[in-house]
Amino acid sequence: MTQAEFDKLHEKIDAHRLEVGRFHEEVASVSRQIANCDKLVRLANAGLSQIDGKIADAVRISAEAQQIADVAGAQASAAATTATSAAVAGMVHSLGEATEAARRTSLSLNLLQFKTGSWIAVYTMLVVLCCLVTGFLTSWALRGNALTPEQAHYVELGKAHEALLANASDKELKQINAIRTRAKTK
């Protein structure tokens, strides 16, 4: 693999890393949206609890009003029913909006997961393909040459040294051994 190909591969890896970072940011955004939906649902529940409290107050007022006068009780009950209906309608509408927002957020999250999975699969296939091409090119370039030119040079240099040692006199061999011994003791 050439340096240019290696650099391109690193650029692709960095681009993918940025894509993964964007995905994590989008997931965080989706998580915040889900949290906001949860807040809306909690507000709706709190509103429903308040409505229950208002209904209880309306029933109590209605009972007191019936003791005073049936007409005043009927008017109070009608007013409480209208207020309750309006409040329930508003809360149902808010709850419907929160549910729809949660559904859209879920769909968005599923799409982001699919996109990221697709990018990872494409990236993995590209890396495997690059490895296979590199192996094929290396095999084709060497075609049976197990040694690089530099390694072949060192083999020839070793053979030359071996030939020199084979032709060395006893005096030269003693000097070489003395040098080796001195080098070990230092």
Side-chain angles (χ1 to χ4, degrees):
M1 178 177 262
T2 66
Q3 183 63 35
E5 291 173 334
F6 191 69
D7 291 342
K8 281 184 181 180
L9 180 61
H10 276 288
E11 288 173 6
K12 288 179 183 177
I13 290 171
D14 290 341
H16 180 67
R17 188 178 299 126
L18 289 174
E19 184 67 25
V20 169
R22 278 190 234 113
F23 169 73
H24 286 290
E25 291 172 4
E26 290 179 18
V27 167
S29 173
V30 168
S31 296
R32 285 191 297 274
Q33 291 175 4
I34 290 172
N36 288 338
C37 290
D38 287 343
K39 287 179 186 176
L40 286 174
V41 169
R42 278 190 251 120
L43 285 173
N45 286 336
L48 290 174
S49 295
Q50 289 176 352
I51 290 170
D52 288 343
K54 287 182 181 183
I55 290 172
D57 288 342
V59 169
R60 184 183 45 81
I61 289 171
S62 177
E64 290 175 359
Q66 280 181 350
Q67 291 176 0
I68 296 171
D70 288 338
V71 174
Q75 291 175 350
S77 176
T81 302
T82 302
T84 301
S85 295
V88 167
M91 288 299 151
V92 166
H93 180 72
S94 295
L95 189 58
E97 288 178 351
T99 301
E100 180 60 27
R103 187 191 64 77
R104 286 192 310 263
T105 301
S106 175
L107 289 175
S108 175
L109 183 59
N110 289 340
L111 181 63
L112 289 174
Q113 288 174 338
F114 175 74
K115 283 182 181 179
T116 301
S118 297
W119 275 112
I120 289 171
V122 168
Y123 174 74
T124 302
M125 288 188 314
L126 285 174
V127 168
V128 168
L129 182 63
C130 287
C131 290
L132 290 174
V133 168
T134 302
F136 173 76
L137 290 176
T138 303
S139 172
W140 177 78
L142 292 178
R143 277 181 257 147
N145 296 333
L147 300 177
T148 65
E150 184 179 5
Q151 290 170 333
H153 168 72
Y154 286 126
V155 168
E156 291 301 319
L157 189 61
K159 287 179 181 178
H161 283 199
E162 186 178 3
L164 284 175
L165 284 173
N167 293 331
S169 67
D170 287 337
K171 182 179 178 184
E172 290 171 335
L173 289 173
K174 286 181 184 179
Q175 286 177 343
I176 290 172
N177 285 333
I179 290 170
R180 284 184 184 162
T181 307
R182 246 187 317 170
K184 289 181 183 177
T185 58
K186 286 187 178 181

